[in-house]
Amino acid sequence: MQAQHASIGLVPLTQRPAGSWRHVLGVFTDIDDTLTSEGAITPDALEALGHLHQAGLHVIAITGRPVGWSEPFAQSWPVDAIVAENGAVALVKQQKLYQADAPTRTGNFARLQHVAACVLREVPGAVLAQDSAGRETDIAVDHSEFVHLNEAQIAEVVAVMRREGLNASVSSIHVNGWIGSHDKWQGARWITRTLFGRDLAAEVDRWVYVGDSTNDQVMFQHLPQSVGVANIRRFEAELRHKPRYITQGERGAGFAEMARALLADRRL
């Protein structure tokens, strides 16, 4: 099923069969450039989160952003949780949940700082993301938020991270590197099991995922009811696993478009 899904491409969300999301239980969403524009959540995206929550749907944000950056949003947005640092840690209001124990995190943190130093030394122009102070389980190099790196520089950053034994992925703004087998999909399975006692892998058709970049591919791969906001076109040529649908609107407007379609199905 995954191989077939990967070849489907980007179908306009307006062509989705009416009623096909009637039995959806919840929504997973990326944050940067999916809910936000210029680093802030758009009013229509925030309103859409509220409408989904009020309708009784589970809503979970999954991001490469650090846990420190995510804390105020976990407390103020109408979401069940924010899974940060590509699946390593979750915020449920004021509670913080980790996948790894404290000694493992301490050892990994030291190794991550070593790799960060390698990247800065070896890749001209590379700088750590400005949100790095809030990171506990990964590192991030800025490529489009405040600093621009070209494709060759981004590829160099990824190569150094992987050479040093890290997992690496590229979001719309950062290159993230981390230690361990977790990623957005594994983090989604973990938090769904932890909070709701549900096996996400057994009910993939009952969850929608919304994203905008290459680091969302693992979610596009596993969740057939996946949606790319329109600005995903920037990365379309690089996507091995694409979302099934694409919105007309970009960023928060695209997320709100998805929410309206889902809530319309709920009323059928």
Side-chain angles (χ1 to χ4, degrees), residues 58-129:
H58 298 304
V59 184
I60 298 172
I62 301 190
T63 180
R65 285 285 194 174
V67 63
W69 181 93
S70 303
E71 283 181 304
F73 309 120
Q75 296 174 28
S76 62
W77 291 354
V79 296
D80 294 279
I82 295 180
V83 180
E85 303 187 20
N86 284 301
V89 55
L91 294 159
V92 183
K93 299 305 179 186
Q94 297 182 351
Q95 184 181 13
K96 196 182 294 187
L97 307 175
Y98 294 96
Q99 294 218 54
D101 60 27
T104 300
R105 297 198 307 272
T106 298
N108 286 349
F109 185 83
R111 184 175 161 200
L112 288 165
Q113 304 321 300
H114 167 74
V115 178
C118 291
V119 171
L120 300 184
R121 183 173 62 250
E122 297 181 32
V123 183
V127 297
L128 294 180

Side-chain angles (χ1 to χ4, degrees), residues 13 37 70 75 95 120 165 186-187 202 210 228 237 245-246 257 266:
L13 185 63
S37 179
S70 303
Q75 296 174 28
Q95 184 181 13
L120 300 184
Q186 193 271 347
V210 191
Y245 302 110
I246 187 168
E257 183 183 333
R266 299 270 290 185

Side-chain angles (χ1 to χ4, degrees), residues 136-154:
E136 298 183 20
T137 64
D138 75 347
I139 56 175
V141 172
D142 191 345
H143 72 73
S144 288
E145 188 174 23
F146 301 105
V147 173
H148 177 74
L149 300 183
N150 60 37
E151 290 185 8
Q153 289 169 305
I154 293 170

